[in-house]
Structure formats: structure tokens, C-alpha cells
């Protein structure tokens, strides 16, 4: 129920799937942007957008979801990190 990625220079797209279980979970996306830009999209099992962050600045972003969630990050010369975790952990 968590995922993190740190990079010094990422150009392009990365994807990851988390299975959050059958009950809705409060989740947090933590972003660190030192250089470049990163866009983050989370979709549910039906392909519906749960949350979308464009040109994410350093900070935390909250959302709620259940089941399988597919995350897609698109980076342009991004230096920093992206992590996803339960809000209570």
C-alpha cells in the first residue's frame, strides 16, 4: 500500500499499481521537486481519474481510493522524489 521513487534526472513516464484493498483508504502523495517538473495521475480500476496533479511542487497531496489504483508520473528533467502512502502511516 505504498510506493516511492527518487531520481536525479528523470525524463519520461513511469507507472505503478497499488492494491489498496476493498475499503476506501485515505492516501497521501508526497512530492519533492528540486528541478524540472512532474505530473501525477491516479486512476481507478475503471480508468476514472481519482486525482491529477500538474507541475507538482514540493508538498503533500491527499486523496481517497480503494481497490487497484494505477499511478502514472510524467517527468521533464525532474530531480526529486514521489511517494504514495496511507495517510495514517
Amino acid at each position: 500500500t505504498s510506493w516511492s521513487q527518487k531520481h536525479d534526472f528523470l525524463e519520461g513516464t513511469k507507472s505503478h499499481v497499488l492494491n489498496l484493498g476493498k475499503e476506501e483508504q485515505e492516501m497521501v502523495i508526497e512530492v519533492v521537486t528540486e528541478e524540472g517538473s512532474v505530473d501525477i495521475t491516479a486512476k481507478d480500476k475503471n480508468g476514472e481519474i481519482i486525482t491529477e496533479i500538474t507541475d507538482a511542487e514540493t508538498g503533500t497531496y491527499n486523496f481517497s481510493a480503494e481497490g487497484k489504483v494505477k499511478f502514472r508520473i510524467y517527468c521533464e528533467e525532474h530531480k526529486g522524489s514521489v511517494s504514495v502512502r496511507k495517510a495514517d502511516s
Side-chain angles (χ1 to χ4, degrees):
T1 57
S2 66
W3 166 58
S4 64
Q5 176 174 315
K6 185 175 180 180
H7 41 267
D8 290 327
F9 182 93
L10 183 60
E11 182 79 27
T13 304
K14 292 269 188 178
S15 297
H16 190 80
V17 176
L18 289 179
N19 189 346
L20 303 180
K22 294 180 180 180
E23 294 185 23
E24 189 165 305
Q25 305 285 329
E26 296 292 322
M27 303 296 292
V28 175
I29 299 172
E30 294 179 330
V31 178
V32 174
T33 298
E34 296 175 27
E35 293 179 21
S37 67
V38 60
D39 299 338
I40 304 164
T41 305
K43 293 183 179 182
D44 66 14
K45 65 182 178 183
N46 300 318
E48 305 258 341
I49 295 175
I50 298 168
T51 190
E52 189 169 39
I53 308 160
T54 303
D55 201 15
E57 298 290 328
T58 296
T60 58
Y61 304 85
N62 299 310
F63 70 99
S64 297
E66 64 182 53
K68 288 188 178 180
V69 178
K70 182 175 183 179
F71 295 89
R72 179 186 162 276
I73 64 171
Y74 174 74
C75 298
E76 291 185 4
E77 300 179 2
H78 189 253
K79 179 179 181 180
S81 63
V82 176
S83 65
V84 180
R85 62 173 174 79
K86 285 185 180 180
D88 59 0
S89 58

